[in-house]
């Protein structure tokens, strides 16, 4: 279970215990902002954008502090079973780059894309190498978990950001790079899905272990669809990977994502209603908000790419579902933070 996000306002303990996947908050906020840009509700989109930017800056500072003050703790998380959660910083950078590029803030978007690409190269290779070759305790198949899909999300987020910025850059090189990232992300999705599904089906999983991070299964597929839909707009990419292949794969993956939603909802009911796992705030909930928002954006763009009106309308309507989920989790985070602050402000009791 990831450490609670509620202590982020307290230092240095909060910095020491900062969740590896805490940038999921920025990912979720940024993609819902993109969704409302697509449906032309700029007021909501801009509010979410600036909340996401503020969160990104604050979390970068906190992560830098953690690297300087609590390096051993950070490295232990990096080579642990939740090491892939660090790739949320890559996806957060690229999602914000995508959103800023939509407003023609190209320089800011380019800087964020550069951070995303460098982070993707460093963490995308570093985390699996660290898990394979690093010094660690005895490992087991039980360490496979839903956060491993962030490897896919980070890879495809590079494609999404590059395809948004590409018209202003060297068309051939950027388009081919985006297409290669999409193909790599697709293969990673198949590999990680096989691992995670085998883990879930072969080894027993308790309700407490079935954390919201497993929603990233759907989110990784959805961002693969979005990346594919955006690739179809780039002639250079469709020369490298045929247009018909991109569309066909995107439709197949979208269908699978849609099929996953009832399964994930049923597992959530099984966890909370049948096994009474309390539905309280945890930072991992942002890893549930992101897939909901990403599914809507991907559906909208797939509809545009294929000329399918009902898909475009479905994606536009789903933006409001994503906003409702985002607002509920954001409110829960504020309430949890306020309760935590009240507990800390109480005078110690008599000894």
């Amino acid at each position: 279970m990831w450490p609670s996000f509620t202590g982020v306002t307290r230092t240095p303990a909060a910095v020491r215990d900062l969740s590896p996947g805490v940038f999921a908050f920025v990912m979720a906020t940024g993609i819902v902002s993109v969704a409302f840009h697509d449906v032309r509700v700029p007021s909501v989109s801009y509010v979410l954008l600036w909340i996401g930017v503020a969160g990104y800056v604050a979390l970068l500072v906190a992560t830098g502090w953690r690297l300087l003050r609590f390096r051993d703790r950070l490295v232990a998380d990096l080579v642990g079973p939740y090491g892939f959660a660090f790739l949320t910083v890559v996806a957060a950078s690229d999602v914000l780059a995508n959103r800023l590029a939509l407003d023609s803030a190209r320089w800011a978007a380019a800087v964020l894309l550069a951070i995303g690409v460098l982070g993707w190269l460093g963490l995308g290779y570093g985390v699996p190498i660290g898990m394979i070759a690093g010094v660690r305790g005895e490992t087991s198949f039980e360490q496979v978990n839903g956060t491993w899909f962030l490897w896919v999300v980070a890879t495809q987020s590079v494609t999404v950001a590059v395809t948004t910025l590409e018209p202003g850059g060297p068309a051939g090189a950027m388009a081919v790079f985006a297409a290669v990232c999409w193909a790599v992300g697709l293969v990673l999705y198949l590999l990680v899905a096989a691992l995670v599904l085998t883990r879930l089906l072969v080894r027993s999983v308790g309700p407490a272990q079935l954390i919201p991070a497993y929603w990233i299964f759907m989110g990784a597929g959805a961002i693969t669809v979005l990346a594919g839909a955006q690739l179809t707009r780039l002639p250079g990419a469709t020369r490298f990977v045929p247009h018909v292949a991109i569309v066909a794969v995107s439709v197949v993956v979208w269908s699978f994502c849609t099929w996953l939603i009832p399964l994930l909802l049923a597992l959530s009911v099984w966890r909370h209603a049948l096994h009474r796992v309390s539905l309280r705030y945890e930072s991992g909930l942002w890893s549930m908000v992101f897939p909901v928002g990403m599914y809507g954006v991907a559906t909208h763009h797939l509809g545009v790419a294929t000329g399918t009106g009902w898909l475009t309308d479905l994606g536009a309507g789903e933006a409001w579902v994503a906003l409702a989920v985002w607002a509920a989790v954001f409110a829960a985070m504020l309430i949890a933070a306020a309760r935590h602050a009240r507990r800390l402000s109480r005078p110690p009791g008599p000894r």
Side-chain angles (χ1 to χ4, degrees):
M1 190 75 68
W2 293 351
S4 174
F5 187 60
T6 59
V8 75
T9 57
R10 301 286 296 184
T11 55
V15 173
R16 181 195 62 208
D17 299 329
L18 196 65
S19 167
V22 74
F23 278 89
F25 166 71
V26 181
M27 293 165 53
T29 306
I31 199 59
V32 179
S33 176
V34 171
F36 277 88
H37 180 277
D38 289 343
V39 300
R40 295 180 173 83
V41 185
S43 56
V44 175
S45 183
Y46 281 123
V47 169
L48 291 170
L49 171 62
W50 291 113
I51 291 174
V53 169
Y56 181 79
V57 173
L59 292 173
L60 273 184
V61 172
T63 302
W65 187 352
R66 190 178 190 228
L67 178 62
L68 294 174
R69 288 283 306 275
F70 307 103
R71 185 174 304 170
D72 291 345
R73 189 74 172 263
L74 187 146
V75 171
D77 286 341
L78 195 62
V79 298
Y82 292 97
F84 285 111
F86 281 97
L87 283 159
T88 55
V89 69
V90 175
S93 302
D94 290 331
V95 168
L96 287 182
N98 178 31
R99 177 61 188 86
L100 290 169
L102 295 175
D103 281 341
S104 300
R106 300 191 63 83
W107 282 107
V111 169
L112 287 168
L113 174 58
I115 294 171
V117 171
L118 291 174
W120 173 64
L121 290 171
L123 293 170
Y125 286 108
V127 171
I129 289 173
M131 295 178 70
I132 293 169
V135 178
R136 53 184 178 161
E138 185 178 348
T139 58
S140 66
F141 196 53
E142 279 71 16
Q143 291 184 332
V144 177
N145 61 80
T147 64
W148 289 31
F149 282 107
L150 288 164
W151 201 5
V152 181
V153 172
T155 304
Q156 299 294 18
S157 73
V158 173
T159 301
V160 171
V162 169
T163 52
T164 307
L165 279 164
E166 191 274 342
M174 295 289 281
V176 170
F177 176 63
V180 167
C181 288
W182 179 76
V184 170
L186 178 62
V187 173
L188 288 175
Y189 186 59
L190 297 175
L191 293 174
V192 174
L195 277 172
V196 172
L197 278 175
T198 303
R199 161 74 178 92
L200 291 174
L201 295 174
V202 173
R203 302 292 180 90
S204 60
V205 179
Q209 294 175 292
L210 204 64
I211 60 177
Y214 282 96
W215 276 81
I216 309 172
F217 195 167
M218 189 269 283
I223 196 171
T224 301
V225 173
L226 176 60
Q230 294 197 176
L231 277 176
T232 61
R233 303 201 304 261
L234 304 182
T238 54
R239 284 195 298 269
F240 189 70
V241 181
H243 182 281
V244 65
I246 297 173
V247 172
V249 169
S250 297
V251 169
V252 169
V253 176
W254 178 86
S255 301
F256 180 66
C257 290
T258 304
W259 176 84
L260 274 176
I261 294 173
L263 176 62
L264 292 167
L265 289 172
L267 289 174
S268 297
V269 171
W270 172 79
R271 183 181 193 236
H272 297 292
L274 298 182
H275 288 275
R276 309 286 184 184
V277 176
S278 61
L279 187 59
R280 62 179 185 276
Y281 177 77
E282 56 180 295
S283 63
L285 286 174
W286 292 112
S287 293
M288 184 178 70
V289 179
F290 172 77
V292 174
M294 181 55 73
Y295 178 81
V297 173
T299 301
H300 176 86
H301 283 264
L302 183 62
V304 172
T306 59
T308 309
W310 66 267
L311 274 178
T312 306
D313 294 340
L314 176 62
E318 211 271 342
W320 295 97
V321 176
L323 179 63
V325 176
W326 181 91
V329 175
F330 189 73
M333 182 182 74
L334 295 180
I335 292 169
R339 288 175 177 170
H340 185 72
R342 282 199 300 270
R343 285 196 301 269
L344 292 175
S345 63
R346 290 173 186 163
R351 299 194 177 188

